[in-house]
């Protein structure tokens, strides 16, 4: 990859990270946004072909994937479904605590 091509790709990655951060549902969004900007500024002179450069680029792509998990445009089928009764009781189950509480309430109502 040429130096100019690498710079263009890194700029594209930087912009994608910032855009993904804008839709990230977190109260820390502003700090994450600032952190992305600071990290890219600190590493602006780093050679993308160096081992450290490869490591930083890998971390950036991993972060982009994490940010995009919450982006509705990148995952239109994202949904959360909660079961109505995730721990159903077996047939004939008797809850002794509830039964004794009901007996106490019935005795109190009868008095």
């Amino acid at each position: 990859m040429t130096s100019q091509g690498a710079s263009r790709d890194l700029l594209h990655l930087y912009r994608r990270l910032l855009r993904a951060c804008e839709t990230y549902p977190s109260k820390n969004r502003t700090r994450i946004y600032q952190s992305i900007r600071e990290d890219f500024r600190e590493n602006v002179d780093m050679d993308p072909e160096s081992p450290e450069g490869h490591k930083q680029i890998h971390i950036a792509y991993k972060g982009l994937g994490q940010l995009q998990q919450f982006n509705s445009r990148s995952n239109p089928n994202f949904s959360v479904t909660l079961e109505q009764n995730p721990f159903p009781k077996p047939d004939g189950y008797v809850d002794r605590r509830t039964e004794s509480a009901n007996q106490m309430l019935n005795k109190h109502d009868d008095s």
Side-chain angles (χ1 to χ4, degrees):
M1 181 183 314
T2 66
S3 177
Q4 187 178 14
S7 295
R8 187 176 55 241
D9 290 344
L10 289 175
L11 181 60
H12 183 65
L13 173 60
Y14 174 69
R15 288 178 179 159
R16 288 176 61 195
L17 278 162
L18 293 178
R19 272 191 229 113
C21 187
E22 289 174 355
T23 59
Y24 185 67
S26 171
K27 63 181 180 180
N28 298 323
R29 181 183 320 137
T30 305
R31 280 188 270 163
I32 295 168
Y33 191 89
Q34 290 301 324
S35 176
I36 293 167
R37 294 182 70 193
E38 289 170 9
D39 285 347
F40 269 83
R41 284 184 183 141
E42 289 173 8
N43 297 310
V44 72
D45 294 325
M46 184 180 289
D47 178 18
E49 298 300 323
S50 70
E52 184 63 26
H54 283 289
K55 180 180 175 185
Q56 291 296 331
I57 292 169
H58 176 73
I59 291 170
Y61 274 110
K62 187 174 181 178
L64 178 62
Q66 291 170 344
L67 289 170
Q68 287 180 335
Q69 288 178 351
F70 298 97
N71 186 341
S72 61
R73 290 179 294 175
S74 67
N75 190 358
N77 297 323
F78 179 79
S79 67
V80 176
T81 304
L82 300 176
E83 293 184 36
Q84 294 300 317
N85 190 3
F87 301 109
K89 306 278 190 264
D91 291 336
Y93 175 80
V94 177
D95 183 2
R96 292 187 190 106
R97 290 181 298 174
T98 304
E99 192 174 278
S100 65
N102 286 337
Q103 287 175 357
M104 289 175 65
L105 289 172
N106 288 337
K107 285 182 187 177
H108 180 46
D109 288 342
D110 291 339
S111 332

